[in-house]
Protein backbone atom coordinates (compact mmCIF):
# COMPACT_ATOMS: atom_id res chain seq x y z
CA UNK A 1 0.00 0.00 0.00
CA UNK A 2 1.56 3.29 -1.11
CA UNK A 3 1.44 5.67 1.91
CA UNK A 4 0.19 8.61 -0.17
CA UNK A 5 -2.71 6.51 -1.49
CA UNK A 6 -3.54 5.08 1.92
CA UNK A 7 -3.60 8.55 3.49
CA UNK A 8 -5.75 9.92 0.66
CA UNK A 9 -8.29 7.13 1.08
CA UNK A 10 -8.49 7.85 4.80
CA UNK A 11 -9.07 11.53 3.96
CA UNK A 12 -11.77 10.53 1.48
CA UNK A 13 -13.56 8.44 4.11
CA UNK A 14 -13.30 11.26 6.64
CA UNK A 15 -15.05 13.49 4.08
CA UNK A 16 -17.97 11.05 3.92
CA UNK A 17 -16.89 8.85 1.01
CA UNK A 18 -17.02 5.06 0.96
CA UNK A 19 -14.11 2.90 -0.18
CA UNK A 20 -14.68 -0.54 -1.73
CA UNK A 21 -11.85 -2.87 -2.69
CA UNK A 22 -12.54 -4.61 -6.02
CA UNK A 23 -10.03 -7.37 -6.67
CA UNK A 24 -9.44 -10.77 -8.16
CA UNK A 25 -8.16 -11.91 -4.79
CA UNK A 26 -9.97 -14.19 -2.36
CA UNK A 27 -11.01 -13.24 1.19
CA UNK A 28 -7.73 -14.16 2.89
CA UNK A 29 -5.64 -12.31 0.34
CA UNK A 30 -7.75 -9.13 0.37
CA UNK A 31 -8.01 -8.93 4.15
CA UNK A 32 -4.64 -7.21 4.88
CA UNK A 33 -5.54 -4.27 2.63
CA UNK A 34 -9.00 -4.09 4.16
CA UNK A 35 -7.50 -4.00 7.66
CA UNK A 36 -4.80 -1.46 6.79
CA UNK A 37 -7.46 0.94 5.56
CA UNK A 38 -9.78 0.24 8.48
CA UNK A 39 -12.67 -0.59 6.15
CA UNK A 40 -15.97 -1.85 7.52
CA UNK A 41 -18.10 -2.73 4.53
CA UNK A 42 -18.28 -4.74 1.33
CA UNK A 43 -15.38 -5.99 -0.78
CA UNK A 44 -15.76 -7.20 -4.36
CA UNK A 45 -13.67 -10.37 -4.59
CA UNK A 46 -12.76 -13.06 -7.15
CA UNK A 47 -13.08 -10.44 -9.91
CA UNK A 48 -16.75 -10.00 -9.13
CA UNK A 49 -17.81 -13.59 -8.52
CA UNK A 50 -18.37 -12.85 -4.84
CA UNK A 51 -19.09 -9.75 -2.77
CA UNK A 52 -18.43 -10.14 0.94
CA UNK A 53 -18.70 -7.95 4.01
CA UNK A 54 -15.25 -8.69 5.38
CA UNK A 55 -16.25 -7.23 8.74
CA UNK A 56 -19.07 -9.71 9.39
CA UNK A 57 -18.22 -12.41 6.86
CA UNK A 58 -21.66 -12.09 5.29
CA UNK A 59 -21.74 -13.09 1.61
CA UNK A 60 -23.71 -10.36 -0.18
CA UNK A 61 -23.51 -11.77 -3.70
CA UNK A 62 -22.13 -15.05 -5.01
CA UNK A 63 -21.76 -16.76 -8.38
CA UNK A 64 -20.32 -20.16 -9.30
CA UNK A 65 -19.14 -21.79 -12.50
CA UNK A 66 -21.87 -23.95 -14.07
CA UNK A 67 -21.21 -27.65 -13.40
CA UNK A 68 -20.90 -28.29 -17.14
CA UNK A 69 -18.27 -25.57 -17.48
CA UNK A 70 -16.24 -27.06 -14.63
CA UNK A 71 -16.40 -30.51 -16.24
CA UNK A 72 -15.18 -28.98 -19.51
CA UNK A 73 -12.25 -27.39 -17.68
CA UNK A 74 -11.38 -30.70 -16.04
CA UNK A 75 -11.17 -32.32 -19.47
CA UNK A 76 -8.81 -29.53 -20.60
CA UNK A 77 -6.43 -29.72 -17.64
CA UNK A 78 -4.51 -32.64 -19.12
CA UNK A 79 -4.00 -30.83 -22.43
CA UNK A 80 -2.82 -27.45 -21.18
CA UNK A 81 0.37 -26.08 -22.76
CA UNK A 82 3.55 -26.97 -20.94
CA UNK A 83 4.18 -24.33 -18.28
CA UNK A 84 0.50 -23.52 -17.66
CA UNK A 85 -1.10 -24.71 -14.41
CA UNK A 86 -4.65 -24.52 -13.02
CA UNK A 87 -5.79 -23.13 -9.68
CA UNK A 88 -9.40 -23.58 -8.56
CA UNK A 89 -11.24 -21.69 -5.84
CA UNK A 90 -13.87 -23.56 -3.86
CA UNK A 91 -15.32 -23.00 -0.40
CA UNK A 92 -12.94 -20.14 0.37
CA UNK A 93 -9.85 -22.21 -0.47
CA UNK A 94 -7.32 -22.01 -3.32
CA UNK A 95 -6.54 -25.45 -4.73
CA UNK A 96 -3.74 -26.73 -6.97
CA UNK A 97 -2.26 -30.13 -7.73
CA UNK A 98 1.14 -28.89 -9.00
CA UNK A 99 4.03 -27.69 -6.86
CA UNK A 100 5.92 -25.49 -9.31
CA UNK A 101 7.68 -22.08 -9.11
CA UNK A 102 4.89 -20.28 -11.01
CA UNK A 103 2.28 -21.31 -8.45
CA UNK A 104 4.56 -20.77 -5.47
CA UNK A 105 5.23 -17.24 -6.72
CA UNK A 106 1.50 -16.62 -7.12
CA UNK A 107 0.73 -17.92 -3.61
CA UNK A 108 3.52 -15.82 -2.07
CA UNK A 109 2.37 -12.69 -3.89
CA UNK A 110 -1.24 -13.11 -2.76
CA UNK A 111 -0.35 -14.23 0.75
CA UNK A 112 -2.22 -17.53 0.56
CA UNK A 113 -1.60 -21.27 0.80
CA UNK A 114 -2.47 -23.60 -2.07
CA UNK A 115 -4.03 -26.86 -0.90
CA UNK A 116 -3.72 -30.02 -2.98
CA UNK A 117 -7.24 -31.44 -3.44
CA UNK A 118 -5.75 -34.80 -4.43
CA UNK A 119 -8.33 -35.39 -7.15
CA UNK A 120 -9.95 -32.50 -9.04
CA UNK A 121 -13.04 -34.60 -9.69
CA UNK A 122 -13.71 -34.82 -5.95
CA UNK A 123 -14.66 -31.13 -5.81
CA UNK A 124 -18.38 -30.25 -5.91
CA UNK A 125 -19.14 -29.38 -9.57
CA UNK A 126 -21.50 -26.56 -8.59
CA UNK A 127 -19.25 -25.08 -5.93
CA UNK A 128 -16.35 -23.64 -7.95
CA UNK A 129 -16.14 -19.85 -7.61
CA UNK A 130 -13.51 -19.41 -10.32
CA UNK A 131 -10.60 -21.11 -12.03
CA UNK A 132 -7.27 -19.53 -12.92
CA UNK A 133 -4.70 -20.67 -15.45
CA UNK A 134 -1.24 -19.41 -14.53
CA UNK A 135 1.74 -19.48 -16.85
CA UNK A 136 2.73 -18.86 -20.44
CA UNK A 137 1.55 -19.29 -23.16
CA UNK A 138 -2.04 -19.00 -22.00
CA UNK A 139 -4.69 -20.69 -24.18
CA UNK A 140 -7.74 -19.02 -25.69
CA UNK A 141 -10.87 -20.40 -24.06
CA UNK A 142 -14.56 -20.09 -24.93
CA UNK A 143 -16.65 -22.17 -22.54
CA UNK A 144 -20.44 -21.71 -22.39
CA UNK A 145 -21.61 -20.14 -19.15
CA UNK A 146 -18.27 -18.44 -18.44
CA UNK A 147 -16.34 -15.26 -19.09
CA UNK A 148 -12.56 -15.03 -19.25
CA UNK A 149 -10.31 -12.14 -18.35
CA UNK A 150 -6.59 -11.55 -17.98
CA UNK A 151 -5.83 -10.02 -14.61
CA UNK A 152 -2.06 -10.19 -15.25
CA UNK A 153 0.05 -11.08 -18.28
CA UNK A 154 0.34 -14.68 -17.05
CA UNK A 155 -3.06 -15.00 -15.31
CA UNK A 156 -6.16 -16.13 -17.23
CA UNK A 157 -9.28 -16.20 -15.07
CA UNK A 158 -12.34 -18.27 -15.93
CA UNK A 159 -15.37 -16.82 -14.16
CA UNK A 160 -19.11 -17.49 -14.06
CA UNK A 161 -20.98 -15.63 -16.76
CA UNK A 162 -22.05 -12.25 -15.39
CA UNK A 163 -19.30 -12.27 -12.76
CA UNK A 164 -17.20 -9.18 -13.45
CA UNK A 165 -16.10 -6.27 -11.32
CA UNK A 166 -18.53 -4.07 -13.22
CA UNK A 167 -21.59 -6.25 -12.65
CA UNK A 168 -20.68 -6.66 -8.97
CA UNK A 169 -20.25 -2.90 -8.61
CA UNK A 170 -23.61 -2.23 -10.28
CA UNK A 171 -25.35 -4.67 -7.90
CA UNK A 172 -23.62 -3.21 -4.85
CA UNK A 173 -24.45 0.36 -5.86
CA UNK A 174 -28.11 -0.57 -6.41
CA UNK A 175 -28.28 -2.29 -3.02
CA UNK A 176 -26.97 0.87 -1.32
CA UNK A 177 -28.95 3.32 -3.44
CA UNK A 178 -25.82 4.99 -4.80
CA UNK A 179 -26.11 6.41 -8.34
CA UNK A 180 -23.36 5.18 -10.65
CA UNK A 181 -22.45 8.75 -11.55
CA UNK A 182 -21.41 9.26 -7.92
CA UNK A 183 -18.83 6.46 -8.12
CA UNK A 184 -15.17 6.74 -9.07
CA UNK A 185 -13.36 3.54 -10.05
CA UNK A 186 -9.64 3.07 -10.70
CA UNK A 187 -7.84 0.12 -12.28
CA UNK A 188 -4.75 -1.03 -14.12
CA UNK A 189 -5.48 -4.36 -15.87
CA UNK A 190 -8.10 -5.61 -18.37
CA UNK A 191 -10.21 -7.13 -15.58
CA UNK A 192 -10.94 -3.52 -14.51
CA UNK A 193 -12.25 -2.22 -17.84
CA UNK A 194 -15.98 -2.83 -17.40
CA UNK A 195 -15.82 -1.38 -13.87
CA UNK A 196 -14.16 1.89 -14.89
CA UNK A 197 -16.48 2.15 -17.91
CA UNK A 198 -19.49 1.82 -15.60
CA UNK A 199 -18.45 4.39 -13.01
CA UNK A 200 -19.23 8.08 -13.27
CA UNK A 201 -15.49 8.72 -13.10
CA UNK A 202 -13.43 5.93 -14.66
CA UNK A 203 -9.71 6.21 -14.01
CA UNK A 204 -6.68 4.29 -15.27
CA UNK A 205 -3.30 4.37 -13.58
CA UNK A 206 -0.48 5.72 -15.72
CA UNK A 207 1.43 2.45 -15.82
CA UNK A 208 -1.67 0.36 -16.48
CA UNK A 209 -2.52 -1.79 -19.50
CA UNK A 210 -2.98 0.23 -22.73
CA UNK A 211 -6.57 -1.04 -23.13
CA UNK A 212 -7.43 0.23 -19.67
CA UNK A 213 -5.93 3.64 -20.34
CA UNK A 214 -7.91 3.83 -23.60
CA UNK A 215 -11.19 3.02 -21.81
CA UNK A 216 -10.76 5.49 -18.97
CA UNK A 217 -12.13 9.00 -18.61
CA UNK A 218 -8.90 10.10 -16.97
CA UNK A 219 -5.36 8.70 -16.72
CA UNK A 220 -3.47 9.55 -13.53
CA UNK A 221 0.04 8.80 -12.26
CA UNK A 222 1.70 5.42 -11.79
CA UNK A 223 0.68 3.13 -8.92
CA UNK A 224 3.94 3.63 -7.05
CA UNK A 225 3.57 7.41 -7.37
CA UNK A 226 0.22 7.47 -5.59
CA UNK A 227 -2.30 7.00 -8.40
CA UNK A 228 -5.13 6.45 -5.92
CA UNK A 229 -4.29 9.76 -4.23
CA UNK A 230 -4.75 11.41 -7.63
CA UNK A 231 -8.19 9.80 -7.91
CA UNK A 232 -9.20 11.02 -4.46
CA UNK A 233 -8.15 14.54 -5.35
CA UNK A 234 -10.23 14.37 -8.53
CA UNK A 235 -13.26 13.01 -6.70
CA UNK A 236 -13.12 15.59 -3.93
CA UNK A 237 -12.75 18.42 -6.41
CA UNK A 238 -16.03 17.58 -8.18
Amino acid sequence: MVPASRDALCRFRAAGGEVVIATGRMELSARPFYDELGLDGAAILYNGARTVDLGTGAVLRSRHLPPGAWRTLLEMFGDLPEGVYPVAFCGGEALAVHDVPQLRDYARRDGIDLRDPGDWSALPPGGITKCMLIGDPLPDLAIPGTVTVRSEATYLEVLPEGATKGTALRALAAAHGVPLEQIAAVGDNPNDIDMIALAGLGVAVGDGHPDVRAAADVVVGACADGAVADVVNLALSR
Side-chain angles (χ1 to χ4, degrees):
M1 182 80 64
V2 178
S5 294
R6 180 192 60 224
D7 295 345
L9 289 173
C10 291
R11 188 171 78 251
F12 180 72
R13 294 184 70 214
E18 184 172 356
V19 175
V20 175
I21 292 173
T23 177
R25 294 171 182 252
M26 60 191 293
E27 291 89 340
L28 179 65
S29 184
R31 186 79 209 200
F33 303 99
Y34 190 92
D35 291 342
E36 185 172 352
L37 291 170
L39 301 182
D40 54 5
I44 295 171
L45 307 173
Y46 302 93
N47 270 318
R50 183 177 293 180
T51 302
V52 179
D53 185 322
L54 288 182
T56 65
V59 178
L60 308 178
R61 182 178 182 271
S62 184
R63 300 290 184 272
H64 295 90
L65 292 173
W70 173 241
R71 286 191 288 269
T72 298
L73 282 165
L74 288 182
E75 293 172 359
M76 292 180 175
F77 283 175
D79 297 320
L80 291 173
E82 184 177 353
V84 176
Y85 306 96
V87 178
F89 296 81
C90 178
E93 291 188 298
L95 309 165
V97 300
H98 299 93
D99 182 14
V100 294
Q102 294 93 322
L103 297 190
R104 290 196 294 270
D105 288 346
Y106 162 70
R108 184 185 68 252
R109 175 180 177 179
D110 272 28
I112 61 175
D113 293 320
L114 294 174
R115 183 175 71 82
D116 186 347
D119 183 356
W120 285 123
S121 62
L123 299 180
I128 309 300
T129 303
K130 76 170 184 177
C131 178
M132 289 180 66
L133 301 181
I134 296 177
D136 184 55
L138 292 169
D140 292 323
L141 298 181
I143 301 173
T146 73
V147 293
T148 58
V149 66
R150 291 202 182 204
S151 51
E152 296 283 350
T154 57
Y155 296 175
L156 179 68
E157 309 211 11
V158 185
L159 297 154
E161 193 170 45
T164 68
K165 290 185 181 183
T167 55
L169 178 59
R170 184 187 293 276
L172 184 62
H176 286 264
V178 178
L180 294 174
E181 57 267 22
Q182 293 183 13
I183 295 174
V186 57
D188 61 350
N189 273 309
N191 57 320
D192 298 314
I193 289 176
D194 77 322
M195 177 181 69
I196 66 172
L198 179 73
L201 176 62
V203 184
V205 300
D207 53 347
H209 191 282
D211 291 348
V212 182
R213 299 200 305 269
D217 300 313
V218 180
V219 177
V220 292
C223 286
D225 294 334
V228 175
D230 294 342
V231 179
V232 170
N233 291 334
L234 284 170
L236 291 179
S237 68
R238 291 195 162 202

